[in-house]
Amino acid sequence: MSTRFLATFLLGTTMFVASLFAVPQAQTAASLVSERVDLDAIGRIKTEGLQRSQVMELVWNLTDVHGPRLTNSPEIRAAATWARERLSSWGLSGVAEEKWGPFGRGWTNEQFAAQVVAPTVSPLIAYPRAWTPGTSGPVTADVVLAVVNNDQDMEKFRGKLAGKIVLIFDAVDVPLPDAARGLRFTDEELRELQSEPVRGGGARGRGNAAAGPPPDPNIRLKRMTFYQSEGALAALIPGNGRGDRGVVMTGAYELTRQPNSPAVVPQVYVATEQYNRLVRLVERNVAVKVSIDMRNRFTEDTLDAFNIVAEIRGTDKADEVVMLGAHFDSETAGTGATDNAAGSAAMMEAMRILKATGLRMRRTVRLALWTGEEQGLLGSAAYVAEHFADVDTMQLKPAHARLSVYFNMDNGSGAIRGVYTQGNEAVRPVFSAWMEPLRSLGMTTLAIRGVGGTDHASFDRVGLPGFQFVQDRLEYNALSHHTNMDVFERVQAEDMMKNSVIIASFAYQAANREELLPRKVLPQPRNARRGGP
């Protein structure tokens, strides 16, 4: 058979088989020939993930049943027990909780009610701030405005806050609702993600800082300990700033999660529109009273947190590992649905799909569900330090050379449209080939730029291939993310099913590739980058 005839035959066969899987005509046969893609396996993954999906049942358990999931709280420990039992029931091996720490105390809210009682009675849309104390029973008190940004402000309010409920900021601007809420990527936006970003040049600096003394870096803690020492009963905080009506955006007060942390005033997030009303009334000398009943409980039986791990053992390359992961913890106002039950459920479902299909995988595929992400990627950073490398010194451990890739999902439940390559040019032809049979699911984009802010960064910063998927925004940064509206209804079932299939497909291809995925040049030790020991 001539070389020309063979090439023509392979091209025709490739295009015919790909057409059975709804691969567009624009695909390049060369990519499929040079980077082997197992279309039969991808078809089996699609069938299992799209026709027998369990992903929304997983989301329901993580949200309605076990949400929210604050790190080291009783709720996240109950959720972890459920997750381990579910993973074991699928026949995964090595299901365990790997401790890391110390992290700090657990915290849970056991009772909360808040309302305005004067000048008129009205309920408050409000939520406790995590890792702050309760009110020791119901309290009703006058409301005062006491904005503290420096030591001079403290002197101004000293002796004036005992027995008061404090508004700690001025009124917050509430813009019109975000017109971009619920959007999916346009073709133009996807093309933009594929263009090389250019930095530097021009004179577009940030400008001079505003006049006046620099902000006190410790003001958050000093402010709250000051209110406490002055005898204030509680502090009210405006709850968002996104312009979403009635939405409370919350955050944990991690500065007080240690057993020896200083005492602070009880803190409550209030919907911004309601908070602003209280400020306006107080500024115009109208007497305002608020009633709060908040019971919070700290748990100190262990100061360690944990990550959940499970795996499907490989065959001839079992010592080499492909990892999938998402953060398991959440903020407290909602049930942690889009942030990040969606990612955790998709990764669990991907593992279920791979196990249920019975597909042979040469490398071990390992799942990791992280905690402490909301406090600074703590769980994934601890895992990387324990198993792979010290980011400060770049001292590598043997397993560093045996990890092929880590894939992460943490941008809500929007459909996966591509993958950020983190500036790793060598993975582009690999991912391009893997994406071809997934184009019918909407995955079309290789974003050359890198992104941070979630757990793949813990891998990337020690020179390991770590990648985050490109997802449609939907309501993630507008309505659900870190708010009381982060609940089951915000998760899109069809997108979640497709996402689980895409993740399982990428994991399968990485597990069976002849070589490990290519890497970037090892970064410098963080100590060297910081200029210190």
Side-chain angles (χ1 to χ4, degrees):
M1 188 180 293
S2 71
T3 302
R4 181 176 180 182
F5 178 85
L6 177 61
T8 304
F9 173 80
L10 288 175
L11 176 60
T13 302
T14 300
M15 294 180 68
F16 170 75
V17 174
S19 69
L20 299 178
F21 290 83
V23 182
Q25 284 294 115
Q27 77 168 48
T28 60
S31 67
L32 290 177
V33 172
S34 60
E35 182 66 34
R36 180 179 178 272
V37 176
D38 189 337
L39 295 179
D40 176 69
I42 302 306
R44 291 167 64 181
I45 288 170
K46 286 182 177 181
T47 298
E48 180 64 33
L50 299 179
Q51 297 183 16
R52 293 185 285 274
S53 177
Q54 296 182 21
V55 70
M56 292 307 292
E57 192 265 342
L58 299 176
V59 173
W60 174 76
N61 270 285
L62 286 171
T63 56
D64 287 351
V65 180
H66 292 296
R69 302 170 307 282
L70 186 70
T71 297
N72 211 17
S73 67
E75 291 81 6
I76 199 170
R77 294 192 175 277
T81 298
W82 167 82
R84 286 188 290 106
E85 291 173 351
R86 184 58 59 92
L87 294 168
S88 296
S89 74
W90 296 335
L92 273 60
S93 60
V95 179
E97 292 179 13
E98 290 195 9
K99 288 185 178 181
W100 61 269
F103 170 77
R105 298 182 288 181
W107 181 94
T108 190
N109 170 251
E110 296 179 330
Q111 164 67 26
F112 181 75
Q115 67 174 3
V116 179
V117 296
T120 57
V121 175
S122 61
L124 285 175
I125 303 172
Y127 290 82
R129 193 179 198 179
W131 284 301
T132 67
T135 56
S136 301
V139 296
T140 300
D142 293 329
V143 174
V144 298
L145 178 64
V147 180
V148 171
N149 291 318
N150 50 48
D151 292 341
Q152 291 79 7
D153 289 338
M154 291 183 189
E155 291 306 313
K156 181 169 63 175
F157 293 110
R158 196 173 299 281
K160 300 177 181 179
L161 304 180
K164 309 294 186 182
I165 292 175
V166 180
L167 301 165
I168 75 168
F169 295 118
D170 291 319
V172 177
D173 287 340
V174 179
L176 291 173
D178 185 356
R181 182 192 297 175
L183 287 186
R184 296 187 183 275
F185 278 109
T186 64
D187 291 342
E188 181 180 352
E189 288 169 333
L190 291 174
R191 285 192 295 271
E192 173 65 22
L193 287 175
Q194 298 176 74
S195 64
E196 188 76 40
V198 179
R199 292 184 173 86
R204 298 176 61 189
R206 297 180 64 184
N208 296 325
D216 185 341
N218 300 313
I219 193 60
R220 291 178 60 207
L221 185 58
K222 291 170 68 173
R223 177 191 294 135
M224 294 306 178
T225 56
F226 171 72
Y227 294 145
Q228 167 73 14
S229 66
E230 288 295 299
L233 300 180
L236 304 184
I237 307 167
N240 63 44
R242 292 177 176 168
D244 297 293
R245 305 305 190 250
V247 175
V248 180
M249 181 178 176
T250 65
Y253 201 66
E254 62 271 13
L255 296 176
T256 57
R257 69 172 189 260
Q258 303 304 329
N260 59 352
S261 295
V264 297
V265 68
Q267 297 162 48
V268 176
Y269 284 99
V270 178
T272 301
E273 296 85 353
Q274 293 183 317
Y275 181 92
N276 287 352
R277 177 199 176 209
L278 299 181
V279 170
R280 290 191 297 270
L281 289 168
V282 169
E283 287 181 331
R284 289 162 177 76
N285 298 315
V286 177
V288 178
K289 288 184 181 293
V290 164
S291 176
I292 301 174
D293 182 9
M294 180 168 64
R295 184 169 68 247
N296 300 330
R297 177 168 61 91
F298 288 93
T299 54
E300 299 183 15
D301 50 322
T302 177
L303 301 181
D304 289 332
F306 59 87
N307 299 314
I308 304 167
V309 294
E311 63 186 30
I312 302 172
R313 291 291 295 172
T315 55
D316 61 308
K317 292 180 178 287
D319 288 342
E320 297 177 356
V321 178
V322 171
M323 288 192 68
L324 308 178
H327 75 86
F328 198 66
D329 63 311
S330 77
E331 294 286 4
T332 56
T335 56
T338 66
D339 191 25
N340 187 30
S344 295
M347 292 301 178
M348 291 177 69
E349 172 70 355
M351 295 293 284
R352 186 199 68 79
I353 291 169
L354 292 172
K355 186 68 176 179
T357 57
L359 290 167
R360 176 184 179 273
M361 293 185 291
R362 302 178 68 187
R363 293 183 179 85
T364 295
V365 178
R366 181 176 301 153
L367 169 71
L369 301 175
W370 315 112
T371 64
E373 190 273 349
E374 297 294 1
Q375 288 72 52
L377 317 185
L378 299 182
S380 58
Y383 185 91
V384 167
E386 175 67 22
H387 293 274
F388 300 123
D390 183 334
V391 68
D392 289 326
T393 65
M394 282 306 294
Q395 292 295 310
L396 307 184
K397 300 191 175 184
H400 188 280
R402 299 194 296 270
L403 180 75
S404 180
V405 64
Y406 170 76
F407 293 115
N408 193 75
M409 179 174 158
D410 182 24
N411 283 151
S413 73
I416 289 176
R417 307 299 301 279
V419 60
Y420 295 99
T421 60
Q422 295 297 126
N424 185 341
E425 289 284 358
V427 301
R428 289 172 64 85
V430 178
F431 287 173
S432 291
W434 294 1
M435 285 166 50
E436 289 298 335
L438 303 173
R439 286 179 173 271
S440 59
L441 300 180
M443 190 185 195
T444 61
T445 302
L446 279 177
I448 184 59
R449 61 200 66 190
V451 292
T454 187
D455 293 296
H456 71 288
S458 296
F459 292 78
D460 185 68
R461 63 191 178 196
V462 297
L464 290 168
F467 303 100
Q468 169 79 358
F469 291 102
V470 178
Q471 293 178 255
D472 282 329
R473 171 184 172 177
L474 301 183
E475 302 167 314
Y476 185 66
N477 282 320
L479 181 63
S480 64
H481 173 243
H482 286 196
T483 76
N484 61 313
M485 296 302 289
D486 190 9
V487 293
F488 181 85
E489 284 77 7
R490 306 268 74 82
V491 179
Q492 305 303 307
E494 183 176 319
D495 289 356
M496 288 291 293
M497 294 165 64
K498 292 178 180 178
N499 292 353
S500 303
V501 166
I502 289 170
I503 293 164
S505 299
F506 263 54
Y508 174 82
Q509 290 293 154
N512 286 301
R513 191 172 188 268
E514 187 62 34
E515 305 294 336
L516 299 175
L517 278 179
R519 302 182 176 190
K520 297 184 292 188
V521 175
L522 280 177
Q524 290 293 310
R526 187 165 61 182
N527 281 342
R529 299 196 298 269
R530 291 188 301 206

